[in-house]
Amino acid sequence: MNKLVSISDCTKEDLLHIVNLAEKFEKNPNPHLLDGKLVATLFFEPSTRTRLSFETAVQRLGGRVIGFSDAATSSSSKGETLHDTIKMVSNYVDLIVMRHPIEGAARYASEITNIPVINAGDGSNQHPTQTMLDLYSIKKTQGTLENLTISMVGDLKYGRTVHSLLMAMRFFNPTYHFVAPNELKLPAQYPEFMRKNNIKFDEREDMNSVLADSDILYMTRVQQERFTDLVEYEKVKNTYTLRSNMLEGTKSNLKILHPLPRINEIAPDVDDNPKAYYFEQARNGVFARQAVICSILGMC
């Protein structure tokens, strides 16, 4: 890989390479492979975990970081175009990590610069590095990526982590349960994608109906920032709440993932359940992003 804009650009070998590298970085997180390298983190949209884990990954690898965490502190607040920002930053760094609220922004950035670009989330489209850490988390907890039953619950319409993960898993023969209110169902292109790739899936509204046979329960929050109509948001924001007692009778290997932040879709009492894995999942983001950075820069 010489960039990471979309999971659809990745082969099965690319994904497995990142997962295997992440395991190596977890064992040795400070190899200083990026001595002398400079990485720009351009976050036009708020972020905590993604931005901090990228910065941690770069610094543990011996590199340095420049950039911004709020577009209001950049020249875009003065009217500078994305084109000009990318062209300017390209003069200074070896790699660009970018989050942007507009779908396709990362693809556009990658086409106007010869500096490698990593998509750290573009609108409701994709979040490919989150998918890399999700794959690593699934492999760590299940011992395999093959033949798993994965239930995704919540905001499937705007959930870019859902969109990226379902595409990545096409190589591993998953069975999917997609659980969402009608207003937040998967956009039509994703069921079409799964039918085209012979992926087994169903869509339903009852979370309880998927718990017993799931290997992975992937919870997502309803994202207020994606709604233009707050009345619609209020209608669906409390549709699902997972509680610890709901996990009784589930499979012993079940793990609960969540890209975070959570609001109220996972009750605090789940945190102490051994099937909760979302905080460990966030920690895995450092190792997965180290793997992506080094792979793109040709360091490993």
Side-chain angles (χ1 to χ4, degrees):
M1 298 189 299
N2 57 7
K3 62 183 177 183
L4 181 57
V5 171
S6 170
I7 283 294
S8 62
D9 299 332
C10 298
T11 65
K12 182 177 183 179
E13 290 70 29
D14 289 333
L15 299 179
L16 292 175
H17 178 62
I18 296 301
V19 169
N20 292 334
L21 275 179
E23 183 178 10
K24 293 179 181 177
F25 281 121
E26 181 165 10
K27 294 174 181 175
N28 178 25
N30 300 293
H32 282 263
L33 296 174
L34 295 189
D35 284 343
K37 297 291 186 183
L38 199 58
V39 176
T41 54
L42 310 183
F43 280 73
F44 294 87
E45 194 177 48
S47 171
T48 301
R49 274 147 300 279
T50 300
R51 180 177 60 83
L52 292 180
S53 67
F54 262 115
E55 294 182 2
T56 301
V58 171
Q59 292 182 34
R60 285 190 177 279
L61 289 166
R64 291 179 294 153
V65 177
I66 64 169
F68 52 82
S69 59
D70 181 352
T73 65
S74 75
S75 289
S76 63
S77 66
K78 304 174 185 177
E80 183 174 66
T81 64
L82 178 60
H83 174 279
D84 287 3
T85 298
I86 297 301
K87 284 290 192 183
M88 182 273 298
V89 172
S90 297
N91 292 322
Y92 308 143
V93 298
D94 302 287
L95 176 70
I96 293 171
V97 177
M98 188 177 82
R99 170 170 287 192
H100 201 281
I102 298 176
E103 294 184 22
R107 177 77 64 190
Y108 173 71
S110 73
E111 291 171 351
I112 60 174
T113 180
N114 58 0
I115 299 298
V117 172
I118 296 176
N119 180 6
D122 60 333
S124 59
N125 183 31
Q126 291 215 12
H127 195 348
T129 64
Q130 176 71 42
T131 298
M132 296 303 189
L133 74 91
D134 289 345
L135 292 176
Y136 182 49
S137 298
I138 292 169
K139 176 72 182 305
K140 277 183 69 176
T141 61
Q142 305 300 314
T144 183
L145 292 170
E146 302 282 353
N147 305 313
L148 298 172
T149 297
I150 301 174
S151 296
M152 295 187 168
V153 179
D155 183 354
L156 309 186
K157 180 178 181 179
Y158 300 112
R160 58 194 175 196
T161 64
V162 168
H163 303 160
S164 293
L165 182 57
L166 74 83
M167 294 180 73
M169 287 297 294
R170 71 191 183 275
F171 299 114
F172 305 108
N173 192 38
T175 297
Y176 280 120
H177 301 309
F178 294 106
V179 182
N182 190 58
E183 296 89 341
L184 294 176
K185 288 176 63 176
L186 282 170
Q189 68 262 34
Y190 295 106
E192 181 182 340
F193 170 87
M194 287 180 287
R195 283 188 285 267
K196 187 179 296 185
N197 286 275
N198 298 311
I199 297 171
K200 299 182 288 294
F201 75 98
D202 59 52
E203 297 181 90
R204 54 181 87 183
E205 295 189 28
D206 180 10
M207 177 170 66
N208 289 294
S209 69
V210 305
L211 297 178
D213 74 333
S214 298
D215 299 303
I216 295 292
L217 180 63
Y218 197 97
M219 300 295 295
T220 66
R221 72 182 172 95
V222 178
Q223 303 174 80
Q224 180 178 350
E225 66 270 25
R226 305 295 177 208
F227 283 76
T228 55
D229 184 345
L230 287 183
V231 174
E232 288 300 308
Y233 169 73
E234 291 293 330
K235 275 173 56 179
V236 297
K237 69 175 183 178
N238 295 318
T239 305
Y240 305 111
T241 301
L242 181 69
R243 296 181 173 84
S244 190
N245 62 6
M246 297 167 65
L247 299 172
E248 295 173 9
T250 56
K251 295 168 75 170
S252 60
N253 63 301
L254 172 67
K255 293 299 179 195
I256 301 151
L257 304 185
H258 191 307
L260 301 176
R262 67 172 164 183
I263 306 301
N264 55 4
E265 60 279 0
I266 299 178
D269 68 353
V270 178
D271 296 355
D272 295 325
N273 192 299
K275 294 178 180 180
Y277 194 74
Y278 29 90
F279 294 123
E280 294 90 338
Q281 175 190 3
R283 178 175 179 267
N284 290 338
V286 173
F287 313 126
R289 290 180 172 118
Q290 285 180 306
V292 170
I293 290 167
C294 286
S295 181
I296 286 174
L297 290 177
M299 300 296 179
C300 49

